[in-house]
Amino acid sequence: MSAAIVALASGQGRAGVAIIRVSGEGAGEALSALAGNVPSPRRAALRRLADPASGEPLDDALVLWFPAPASFTGEDVAELHVHGGAAVISAVIAALCALPGLRLAEPGEFTRRAFENGKLDLTQAEGLADLVDAETEGQRRQALRQMQGELGGLYDGWRARLVSASALLEAEIDFPDEDLPDGVASRGVCAIETLAADIEAHLADGGRGERVRDGYRIAILGAPNAGKSSLLNRLAGREAAIVSPIAGTTRDVIEARLVLAGFPVWVADTAGLREAVDAIEAEGIRRALARADEADLRLWVVDAGAPAAVAPRPGDIVVWNKADLAAQAPDGAMPVSAATGQGIEALVAALTERVASELGAREAPALTRARHRALLEEAAAALRRALEAASIGAELAAEDVRLAARAVGRITGRVDVEEILGEIFARFCIGK
Ligand SMILES: Nc1nc2c(ncn2[C@@H]2O[C@H](COP(=O)(O)OP(=O)(O)O)[C@@H](O)[C@H]2O)c(=O)[nH]1
Ligand SMILES: [Mg+2]
């Protein structure tokens, strides 16, 4: 067990209750130094806390004792539920840190110890970080599934299958002239083909899990004066973008964040698409087109009073704006009036349905991070090489399968992870 660390585990600022956590060697002594005798494991007890140096009473608190290994970190853990005022918290933390061997925790240090003690794998630690950051229902659900080990279980399963496929190939290397049971090597090749297909299908999920974390992106596009900025303001419910009858008003990309179907959504208003009159507008149009390219969905706004041609891609939505002024919407376009609000509810319903169908939960857990994507791409590339090499010789193939297993193992932290640990845990806040 490592030396004990101390931190505020609950949020900063005034609150009814604040939770101070101590983990490591000496946590039990620290608890009894402040609270008298240690309560029975995992049972809350009311105690008068006092400063061990001066005897000065600090607070009345609920205290809990989680002896190793049945604790969050896998070490001895004490929790002090004190009154959530700044002076109480700092006095209790100061009294704890004055005890020999205790110090303040670094960001993410509790979770790092939990990982090092095998309480969770790296994907679970990342899921925990996402759960703490989750702002919408969809984010909470995805983070919870990941924290509960669904994604890590999938990757560990792949790693185990890769290890046994490489064993089948190695059997052929080690006993080339002996009579192996029929088709040992070809069973290895077969297993690799299936795994490569599974990994590639997971990679080709359109970034669903990453969208749930970072937000689904909608770009509003169309001619100047079509009412793009008015539409953004309608959707956002506030004056996010400047609206004016002067064409070319919007030049930069302006974004508003919405929550649709429980998922974060970024809606971007852009400069109107036309021949630019100056260099700044030209840059605005360049940015608009770049945003259109990255977006998950494009809304093409057409001015019903002066319809201009638009270039929707399959799946894009055409919005027939200023329906209060003019003619029937053409087939397939949604009539709205950003000015009066007419048709906005139907548009929001269509967007909600789209976001829900693209990001909504599936059976299989989604890929959630660029870190996982990079390692899986490495694994998939190694498997493609292995399949090519298999026709030449088992040695080459076996080496590539081992590389693939290593890459997948690094996602959950089963193999050489030291260098990535610092990066992951430093993103946590202190006390987590
Ligand atoms: N009558 C009517 N006018 C609108 C509507 N939407 C926008 N406008 C007006 O059209 C002009 C251009 O709007 P704006 O949102 O700045 O267009 P953008 O250049 O596409 O961003 C402004 O004068 C708006 O008040 C609408 O639904 N009906
Ligand atoms: Mg505008």
Side-chain angles (χ1 to χ4, degrees):
M1 218 184 299
S2 316
I5 49 173
V6 180
L8 178 65
S10 51
Q12 295 287 347
R14 247 169 108 238
V17 174
I19 301 175
I20 294 164
R21 192 149 59 168
V22 185
S23 174
E25 184 83 60
E29 288 80 352
L31 181 58
S32 60
L34 266 76
N37 62 338
V38 169
S40 28
R42 296 176 297 281
R43 300 232 168 221
L46 182 63
R47 292 279 195 280
R48 166 76 38 94
L49 302 185
D51 186 332
S54 62
E56 156 111 19
L58 298 174
D59 194 10
D60 288 337
L62 273 187
V63 302
L64 285 137
W65 170 235
F66 303 93
S71 69
F72 172 66
T73 56
E75 303 178 319
D76 286 344
V77 170
E79 264 182 29
L80 305 150
H81 296 215
V82 301
H83 290 102
V88 178
I89 295 165
S90 57
V92 174
I93 288 182
L96 285 166
C97 287
L99 296 169
L102 271 71
R103 64 167 171 84
L104 282 176
E106 312 273 347
E109 203 171 3
F110 285 88
T111 315
R112 182 170 181 149
R113 288 186 176 192
F115 167 73
E116 280 164 354
N117 291 322
K119 287 281 169 178
L120 30 75
D121 70 33
L122 287 184
T123 65
Q124 289 179 294
E126 288 167 329
L128 174 58
D130 286 350
L131 191 60
V132 171
D133 287 337
E135 289 179 345
T136 74
E137 273 296 282
Q139 291 178 319
R140 181 185 62 72
R141 276 195 211 104
Q142 174 167 292
L144 183 65
R145 286 176 69 173
Q146 185 169 330
M147 192 194 71
Q148 289 170 338
E150 231 181 321
L151 199 58
L154 177 72
Y155 297 154
D156 278 343
W158 283 347
R159 178 161 176 272
R161 283 161 63 193
L162 286 167
V163 169
S164 57
S166 76
L168 289 173
L169 291 168
E170 270 155 19
E172 172 154 304
I173 302 169
D174 293 342
F175 312 103
D177 303 322
E178 291 171 41
D179 284 335
L180 288 172
D182 260 356
V184 162
S186 72
R187 274 200 349 252
V189 171
C190 210
I192 297 167
E193 273 170 353
T194 320
L195 268 161
D198 286 353
I199 293 176
E200 265 154 24
H202 184 69
L203 280 168
D205 73 347
R208 175 166 64 90
E210 290 145 304
R211 292 285 167 280
V212 172
R213 289 186 69 232
D214 305 335
Y216 186 85
R217 289 160 316 188
I218 299 176
I220 302 180
L221 300 158
N225 262 338
K228 299 178 297 301
S229 298
S230 307
L231 182 64
L232 176 82
N233 292 347
R234 263 290 163 194
L235 292 172
R238 65 187 170 89
E239 303 299 304
I242 299 172
V243 167
S244 94
I246 302 164
T249 300
T250 308
R251 288 163 163 222
D252 225 332
V253 175
I254 294 172
E255 284 189 312
R257 184 177 177 281
L258 314 178
V259 176
L260 297 178
F263 297 103
V265 174
W266 290 102
V267 184
D269 177 29
T270 62
L273 304 175
R274 65 165 177 182
E275 282 297 324
V277 302
D278 60 36
I280 300 171
E281 190 182 9
E283 174 60 17
I285 291 172
R286 193 193 64 73
R287 290 182 187 193
L289 293 172
R291 189 56 64 105
D293 255 349
E294 297 162 9
D296 301 304
L297 171 64
R298 284 151 292 275
L299 293 185
W300 294 89
V301 182
V302 178
D303 182 340
V310 289
R313 304 181 196 182
D316 286 359
I317 294 178
V318 177
V319 176
W320 186 252
N321 188 40
K322 310 195 190 181
D324 54 305
L325 294 184
Q328 195 74 26
D331 268 1
M334 297 196 70
V336 309
S337 167
T340 68
Q342 169 199 339
I344 295 293
E345 212 173 296
L347 177 61
V348 170
L351 296 178
T352 304
E353 195 183 316
R354 180 68 67 88
V355 171
S357 82
E358 288 189 28
L359 302 192
R362 310 277 202 285
E363 272 307 304
L367 202 166
T368 54
R369 282 182 188 242
R371 184 181 80 82
H372 308 172
R373 186 173 286 283
L375 287 166
L376 288 173
E377 273 164 0
E378 202 177 308
L383 290 182
R384 275 194 298 276
R385 286 197 308 271
L387 287 170
E388 271 170 36
S391 55
I392 307 166
E395 276 103 348
L396 283 174
E399 176 56 20
D400 277 322
V401 176
R402 263 196 305 275
L403 287 176
R406 280 265 294 274
V408 175
R410 286 170 66 191
I411 303 179
T412 52
R414 299 286 179 242
V415 282
D416 45 72
V417 288
E418 260 316 309
E419 79 271 26
I420 53 173
L421 290 186
E423 199 206 325
I424 290 173
F425 292 108
R427 290 169 201 268
F428 280 76
C429 38
I430 292 171
K432 295 292 175 309

